[in-house]
Amino acid sequence: MKVLVIGAHGKVAQLLIPKLVAAGHTVIGGVHNTDQNAAIEKLGATPIIFDLLGPVEKMASAMQSVDAIVFSAGAGGRGYDQTILIDLDGAVKSMEAAKMAGVHRYVMVSSGASNHRETWGNAIRPYMAAKFYADRELKRSALDYTIIRPGMLTDDPETGLYQTPTADQRSIARGDVAEFINAVIADPATIHRAFDIVNGPHNLAEILH
């Protein structure tokens, strides 16, 4: 497939791109700054400027001939105004653009527990709300979506093992999130499903099917 990774310079995306390339996919890396181009090319992808603050029509133009989209973008520490504009409005605009461009497959990298309001701490409440409503809009769309809600991200070595979050286990290695995305993107059995994942004792097949 031809896969567009939105937010390609992020930590998870940089681990994901080589996996997609190794699986035989052609990867386009959507970035917001040309200074990131060299890093994306080194990973085996073709970089393009993809502005989540820009018009939907321009996003749709960048999606022409794409078979699948991975949304792995985020405002990071740029303030909650940017969180609303990128993690929520930018995500929804990318969904609208996908439909405009005729792209059906859409994988959303969300956030663990964003679907449980009672767990949101005050410090990250705006971020979790942005993820919650972006996921809700994706579910309402006509897209062939998969939503992935990873727990607390770590830089620990990749394990290849997963489980749903528990009181004792709430974290997951970024490499394992990348491998999970790589596994679901071409798996039709994961369409219209959401996965809450942390590291655990189960392999991918046990989690996915």
Side-chain angles (χ1 to χ4, degrees):
M1 294 192 297
K2 189 174 185 179
V3 181
L4 169 63
V5 178
I6 302 172
H9 198 253
K11 291 183 178 180
V12 169
Q14 289 196 57
L15 296 172
L16 168 64
I17 290 171
K19 292 177 180 290
L20 292 172
V21 172
H25 303 298
T26 299
V27 183
I28 302 171
V31 297
H32 69 272
N33 190 327
T34 55
D35 292 343
Q36 300 169 345
N37 283 2
I40 301 307
E41 289 172 347
K42 188 175 181 180
L43 295 171
T46 300
I48 61 166
I49 293 298
F50 196 90
D51 184 9
L52 288 167
L53 304 180
V56 172
E57 292 78 10
K58 192 169 183 180
M59 293 186 197
S61 178
M63 294 175 178
Q64 296 300 319
S65 77
V66 166
D67 300 303
I69 294 164
V70 176
F71 188 93
S72 188
R78 285 180 278 172
Y80 283 133
D81 57 337
Q82 292 298 299
T83 297
I84 296 301
L85 292 175
I86 294 172
D87 296 71
L88 176 52
D89 190 51
V92 173
K93 287 196 296 185
S94 75
M95 300 169 203
E96 295 170 355
K99 288 187 279 187
M100 190 180 297
V103 183
H104 301 288
R105 189 71 175 109
Y106 190 109
V107 177
M108 169 66 79
V109 183
S110 185
S111 178
S114 59
N115 55 326
H116 296 292
R117 285 193 180 104
E118 68 278 6
T119 67
W120 299 353
N122 288 332
I124 59 170
R125 189 175 295 271
Y127 168 78
M128 298 295 265
K131 293 297 187 184
F132 175 87
Y133 285 105
D135 291 354
R136 175 179 283 187
E137 190 65 21
L138 182 56
K139 287 181 177 180
R140 290 174 173 173
S141 76
L143 298 171
D144 292 336
Y145 70 83
T146 302
I147 297 170
I148 300 170
R149 301 190 192 101
M152 184 182 303
L153 299 173
T154 75
D155 292 318
D156 293 339
E158 186 176 330
T159 68
L161 297 172
Y162 305 86
Q163 66 179 30
T164 56
T166 67
D168 296 324
Q169 178 57 6
R170 299 177 180 176
S171 65
I172 185 168
R174 287 181 170 87
D176 285 312
V177 178
E179 183 55 36
F180 200 90
I181 300 166
N182 184 44
V184 305
I185 196 163
D187 185 348
T190 66
I191 291 173
H192 297 154
R193 295 177 65 190
F195 297 90
D196 296 84
I197 54 168
V198 295
N199 282 131
H202 304 293
N203 61 37
L204 271 170
E206 292 173 315
I207 295 293
L208 295 179
H209 299 294

